[in-house]
Amino acid sequence: MVLRLQNVEVRYGAVPALRQVSMEIRRGEIVCLLGGNASGKSTTMKTIIGSVRPSKGSVRYDGRDITDWNTSRRVASGIAIVPEARRIFPRLTVLENLMMGAFLRRDRADVQADLDGVFEMFPRLKERSAQRGGTMSGGEQQMLAMGRALMSRPRFLCMDEPSMGLAPVLVEQQFETIQRLNATGITIFLVEQNATMALAIANRGYVLQSGQLVLEGTADSLLQNPQMQRAYLGT
Ligand SMILES: Nc1ncnc2c1ncn2[C@@H]1O[C@H](COP(=O)(O)OP(=O)(O)O)[C@@H](O)[C@H]1O
Ligand SMILES: [Mg+2]
């Protein structure tokens, strides 16, 4: 088991944004989290990376209870996130943005090797390494956010709606990249509104509605599920 949420409740003030959420992500899987707007998808991501704390329940990673760990400690132990809307640093250069992902690391030689790996995966980032992040296109910023996450050398990568606002051809590329990363051994947790595409690459999926899980199962079973088809797949 890589990650386990157990009966997680998260509140922003009085209203719970997540209630009784339990999920498991196993080593090597691609698991997607689906759901409409405001269903609690980003809150789930934030609970995993530690930027919000549950009021009830626990978060376990690699067999350890990390509910009380801060974000840095989680990143140092191999969890990374590509946040919603990318959140790159617009005034920093592409290279500086990438190095922000490695700020906790002391293994300089390995950092350089990982930077070479990111540049190999995204040649555009190498070409633009001296350019400010904010001047890059949406698709390039998505590559940058992904490259930055990879610079922490994650074993568990969470991505919050990576396809948002991208042209279809870039969405395709994005999903191919996710599969390539998964093939290198990185476990992937993918939040998406594009359920059809997410289920096409995922092993399993969970569906949130108003902060509660309403469906879960293998990607195939979700694709075949009539409730799923009506509500999320438009078929
Ligand atoms: N910082 C916050 N303060 C108050 N309410 C919030 C905050 N962040 C999210 N919410 C609320 O929590 C619910 C879930 O939000 P979110 O997790 O962002 O959903 P999703 O990512 O599925 O769109 C929404 O009703 C949202 O308005
Ligand atoms: Mg969101």
Side-chain angles (χ1 to χ4, degrees):
M1 196 70 57
V2 174
L3 189 99
R4 171 178 268 158
L5 299 182
Q6 240 163 347
N7 296 321
V8 164
E9 177 188 274
V10 173
R11 293 174 170 272
Y12 298 110
V15 195
L18 293 180
R19 273 179 293 173
Q20 291 272 315
V21 169
S22 296
M23 50 177 84
E24 296 176 353
I25 296 151
R26 300 174 204 129
R27 193 164 309 288
E29 281 191 314
I30 300 179
V31 174
C32 63
L33 178 62
L34 309 171
N37 257 330
S39 58
K41 302 182 302 298
S42 295
T43 301
T44 305
M45 288 293 194
K46 289 173 183 167
T47 305
I48 293 171
I49 199 66
S51 56
V52 303
R53 294 301 164 88
S55 43
K56 289 185 191 156
S58 65
V59 184
R60 295 184 73 83
Y61 172 69
D62 253 356
R64 284 178 294 183
D65 190 327
I66 64 163
T67 317
D68 295 327
W69 289 20
N70 64 24
T71 297
S72 299
R73 193 167 172 203
R74 295 183 197 210
V75 171
S77 73
I79 305 178
I81 187 168
V82 181
E84 190 170 23
R86 336 210 203 280
R87 305 279 152 126
I88 58 137
F89 303 101
R91 305 180 68 86
L92 299 186
T93 66
V94 166
L95 180 61
E96 287 164 344
N97 267 278
L98 290 172
M99 294 311 286
M100 292 298 280
F103 81 106
L104 290 168
R105 296 176 58 181
R106 297 287 171 268
D107 47 341
R108 288 229 191 133
D110 289 346
V111 167
Q112 185 57 50
D114 289 348
L115 183 63
D116 293 343
V118 167
F119 282 155
E120 200 173 307
M121 178 165 266
F122 304 113
R124 180 62 62 92
L125 296 183
K126 186 170 189 181
E127 289 163 33
R128 304 282 166 97
S129 63
Q131 191 173 316
R132 286 191 189 198
T135 65
M136 307 270 279
S137 73
E140 290 164 346
Q141 290 190 18
Q142 183 62 39
M143 289 177 205
L144 182 53
M146 216 171 199
R148 182 181 57 188
L150 293 175
M151 289 304 294
S152 68
R153 201 175 259 201
R155 287 180 294 132
F156 179 51
L157 181 63
C158 302
M159 311 183 77
D160 195 347
E161 300 204 38
S163 73
M164 199 206 301
L166 297 187
V169 55
L170 294 177
V171 175
E172 293 269 355
Q173 281 175 18
Q174 180 74 32
F175 278 75
E176 280 165 19
T177 305
I178 294 169
Q179 286 181 296
R180 263 160 64 201
L181 292 175
N182 180 246
T184 70
I186 303 176
T187 304
I188 308 272
F189 186 49
L190 175 65
V191 164
E192 262 300 329
Q193 295 229 15
N194 190 334
T196 311
M197 289 205 67
L199 289 170
I201 64 162
N203 301 103
R204 293 185 302 113
Y206 291 92
V207 182
L208 269 177
Q209 198 177 301
S210 310
Q212 288 184 289
L213 288 176
V214 289
L215 278 174
E216 62 182 85
T218 63
D220 286 340
S221 72
L222 290 174
L223 285 165
Q224 302 303 324
N225 183 297
Q227 188 187 344
M228 188 71 207
Q229 291 174 346
R230 271 194 309 276
Y232 301 102
L233 297 168
T235 49

